[in-house]
């Protein structure tokens, strides 16, 4: 079982992620469209910010930290396979875990729409209620159906991550988005790290049982439910409540659904698809995040197969999750200092990192050494987290925050559909019903196929560039850039409707 808020990520930046405004695993973006400028009004000074916004952000970050306090979460699979619950590995792999993917797909779109329509808070409460239901079912349930319902609530909790990642941006002005995004992401990562370390210490040093960790987790998620009830209720949201942001002589709400910001943004997706950099990184988001989350869903079953922790109470899942979270945070931070010619080398970088991930999956699927599994998993997550902020920047830096949220939302939806399709064929007992080791070999071939596609695209882009250079047609597009906000030259953009711009 994996954390349902990082997104790794997840994810955060889904994935310490914003899922629809940033990654799984949670990463910052830079809104640049015109609608924000209109909303700011004549005053641009931070001094006009309401004095309560700082405390609201701090409280929300504290909620994000406490929400992650589930010390029993890394040990759910060993707990279900232990003599206390006595489920079989095949039941967990082929009948219980697949429900998570189905549930996530079923509720993703309704949760996304309700998040904006109801202005975040009710969905955060729903997410906290789902967490309470998860741990009640884990502790009190004993049948296969009850465990499937537990995964159903996990799917709701996972889909509702968008509420937290979007909520914080309704509290502050656009110029503060990057700062508060960093704070919210840091609070989530710190929560995951602290929870994993706490669970490992309680299990290994204090000799606490899996069921005691479960009751502790139930108490902590119940406390986070109380915190969600105390959250302030925002007065605005991105799509359905934009008219609340400014009321004056020139402001009026949309007269019909067809004129709403959400529908207008949907019509602009065709223009976004035509932009090469947005298309490339959106495809990476869809296909690579699909494989990433499939690995996260089943890796704990793999560990128990290699090293049956359910038999000897020596599971190190919490320590590994803590270490991989820390490594992912470090690689995400390091990505901000990478300076290359993105328009020239993006495909090659994606291809090489995907190839490394494929190799790590092959290693995990064939080794009998649990420590090799642990290390390979940590690096697998680290490589993914390295590319998440790069993808977020490439997609979000040239879009308004409304279009950015929609693009990430569509990417997440497509990834979820693909993930469900693969789960149905590979994992579900109604499909192939593969055991966990063959599944990881399937994931290896999946990443290997992506590697071939990315490297083929890289060869095409690089060859075309140098042919153009020899012919005297080289363009300044290949200037090395860092992952930092860039001002766009009007001559380099194609203007989209509604004030949305995308770099050509």
């Amino acid at each position: 079982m994996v954390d349902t808020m990082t997104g790794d990520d997840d994810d955060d930046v889904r994935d310490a992620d914003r899922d629809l405004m940033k990654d799984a695993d949670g990463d910052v973006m830079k809104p640049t469209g015109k609608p924000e400028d209109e909303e700011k009004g004549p005053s641009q000074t931070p001094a006009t910010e309401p004095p309560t916004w700082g405390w609201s952000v701090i409280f929300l970050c504290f909620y994000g930290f406490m929400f992650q306090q589930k010390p029993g979460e890394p040990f759910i699979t060993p707990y279900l396979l232990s003599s206390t619950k006595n489920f079989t590995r095949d039941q967990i792999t082929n009948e219980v875990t697949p429900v998570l993917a189905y549930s996530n797909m079923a509720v993703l779109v309704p949760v996304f729409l309700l998040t904006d329509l109801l202005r975040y808070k009710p969905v955060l409460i729903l997410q906290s209620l789902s967490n309470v239901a998860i741990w009640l079912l884990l502790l009190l349930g004993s049948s296969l159906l009850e465990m499937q319902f537990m995964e159903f609530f996990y799917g709701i909790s996972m889909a509702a991550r968008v509420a937290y990642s979007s909520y914080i941006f309704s509290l502050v002005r656009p110029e503060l988005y990057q700062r508060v995004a960093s704070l919210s992401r840091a609070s989530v990562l710190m929560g995951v790290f602290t929870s994993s370390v706490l669970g490992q210490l309680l299990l290994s040093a204090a000799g606490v049982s899996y069921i005691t960790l479960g009751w502790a987790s139930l108490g902590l998620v119940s406390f986070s439910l109380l915190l969600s009830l105390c959250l302030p209720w925002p007065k605005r949201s991105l799509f359905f409540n934009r008219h609340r942001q400014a009321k004056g002589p020139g402001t009026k709400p949309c007269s019909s659904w067809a004129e709403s910001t959400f529908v207008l943004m949907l019509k602009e997706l065709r223009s976004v698809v035509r932009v090469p950099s947005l298309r490339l990184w959106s495809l990476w988001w869809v296909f690579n995040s699909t494989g990433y989350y499939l690995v996260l869903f089943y890796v704990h079953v793999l560990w128990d197969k290699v090293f049956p922790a359910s038999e000897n109470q020596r599971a190190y899942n919490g320590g590994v999750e803590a270490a991989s979270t820390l490594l992912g945070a470090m690689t995400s931070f390091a990505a901000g200092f990478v300076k290359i010619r993105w328009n020239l080398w993006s495909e090659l970088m994606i291809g090489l990192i995907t190839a490394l991930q494929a190799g790590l999956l092959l290693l995990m699927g064939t080794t009998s050494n649990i420590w090799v599994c642990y290390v390979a998993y940590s690096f697998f997550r680290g490589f993914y987290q390295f590319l998440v902020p790069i993808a977020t920047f490439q997609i979000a830096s040239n879009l308004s925050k409304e279009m950015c949220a929609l693009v990430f939302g569509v990417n997440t939806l497509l990834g979820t559909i693909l993930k469900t399709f693969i789960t149905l064929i590979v994992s579900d007992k109604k499909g192939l019903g593969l055991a966990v080791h063959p599944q990881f070999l399937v994931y290896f071939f999946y990443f290997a196929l992506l590697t071939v596609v990315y490297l083929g695209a890289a060869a095409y882009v690089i060859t075309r560039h140098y042919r153009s250079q020899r012919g005297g047609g080289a363009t300044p597009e290949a200037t090395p850039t860092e992952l930092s906000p860039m001002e766009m030259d009007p001559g380099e953009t194609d203007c989209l409707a509604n004030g949305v711009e995308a770099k050509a």
Side-chain angles (χ1 to χ4, degrees), residues 21 114-125 162-164 166-170 233-234 236-239:
M21 297 186 63
L114 288 174
T115 294
D116 196 88
L117 185 62
L118 302 179
R119 289 173 285 138
Y120 314 115
K121 181 176 177 176
V123 177
L124 287 176
I125 295 174
V162 62
Y164 176 82
S166 305
Y167 183 113
I168 201 164
F169 300 98
S170 68
W233 204 320
R236 63 178 186 262
S237 60
L238 281 178
F239 301 115

Side-chain angles (χ1 to χ4, degrees), residues 8 67 109 118 133 140 235 247 304 314 342 377 483 503:
D8 291 308
F67 182 87
V109 173
L118 302 179
L140 304 178
K235 296 181 179 179
K247 293 188 177 182
D304 194 85
R314 286 194 296 137
W342 292 107
Y377 169 74
L483 292 187
K503 199 164 187 174

Side-chain angles (χ1 to χ4, degrees), residues 81-273:
L81 295 173
S82 68
S83 58
T84 303
K85 291 298 181 181
N86 206 31
F87 290 101
T88 67
R89 192 175 290 110
D90 288 341
Q91 285 178 314
I92 300 302
T93 304
N94 305 127
E95 297 183 64
V96 176
T97 305
V99 177
L100 172 58
Y102 306 149
S103 169
N104 188 222
M105 187 186 74
V107 303
L108 186 63
V109 173
V111 166
F112 171 60
L113 296 176
L114 288 174
T115 294
D116 196 88
L117 185 62
L118 302 179
R119 289 173 285 138
Y120 314 115
K121 181 176 177 176
V123 177
L124 287 176
I125 295 174
L126 174 64
Q127 185 183 40
S128 296
L129 286 170
S130 297
N131 270 359
V132 173
I134 288 167
W135 288 100
L136 284 174
L137 287 167
L138 278 169
L139 292 167
L140 304 178
S142 58
S143 69
L144 183 64
L145 181 61
E146 287 169 321
M147 294 305 104
Q148 290 173 330
F149 268 108
M150 178 270 295
E151 292 287 6
F152 171 76
F153 285 110
Y154 249 111
I156 295 176
S157 180
M158 191 174 180
R161 290 179 301 177
V162 62
Y164 176 82
S165 59
S166 305
Y167 183 113
I168 201 164
F169 300 98
S170 68
L171 302 176
V172 299
R173 292 181 179 275
E175 60 265 22
L176 297 172
Y177 283 172
Q178 185 166 339
R179 183 181 302 175
V180 297
S182 299
L183 290 173
S184 64
R185 178 61 177 165
S187 65
V188 170
L189 288 175
M190 184 60 68
V192 174
F193 179 80
T194 304
S195 176
S196 300
V197 170
L198 177 62
Q200 190 64 61
L201 289 176
L202 289 174
L203 183 71
S204 300
V208 171
S209 65
Y210 292 140
I211 194 167
T212 303
L213 286 176
W215 285 110
S217 300
L218 177 60
L220 289 168
V221 297
S222 299
F223 177 67
S224 70
L225 172 60
L226 295 178
L227 291 178
S228 68
L229 295 172
C230 299
L231 288 169
W233 204 320
K235 296 181 179 179
R236 63 178 186 262
S237 60
L238 281 178
F239 301 115
F240 299 113
N241 298 285
R242 286 175 55 86
H243 63 279
R244 296 174 180 265
Q245 299 183 40
K247 293 188 177 182
T251 304
K252 62 179 181 179
C254 296
S255 58
S256 68
W257 167 263
E259 296 175 6
S260 70
T261 302
F262 181 71
V263 173
L264 293 176
M265 292 291 112
L266 280 175
K267 294 178 181 178
E268 295 305 328
L269 284 176
R270 292 173 298 176
S271 301
V272 173
V273 172

Side-chain angles (χ1 to χ4, degrees), residues 290-344:
T290 294
Y292 173 79
Y293 279 106
L294 286 171
V295 170
L296 262 62
F297 289 169
Y298 292 95
V299 73
H300 288 182
V301 181
L302 176 70
W303 293 349
D304 194 85
K305 175 70 173 178
V306 175
F307 182 75
S310 54
E311 298 175 4
N312 51 43
Q313 291 284 314
R314 286 194 296 137
Y316 300 101
N317 299 13
V320 178
E321 293 293 351
S324 61
T325 298
L326 185 61
L327 180 61
M330 293 170 61
T331 55
S332 295
F333 180 75
F337 297 92
V338 175
K339 186 176 182 181
I340 66 172
R341 299 175 178 181
W342 292 107
N343 288 344
L344 180 60

Side-chain angles (χ1 to χ4, degrees), residues 339-344 465 475-482 486:
K339 186 176 182 181
I340 66 172
R341 299 175 178 181
W342 292 107
N343 288 344
L344 180 60
H465 170 76
T475 67
E477 288 185 316
T479 304
T481 57
E482 294 179 347
M486 297 187 303

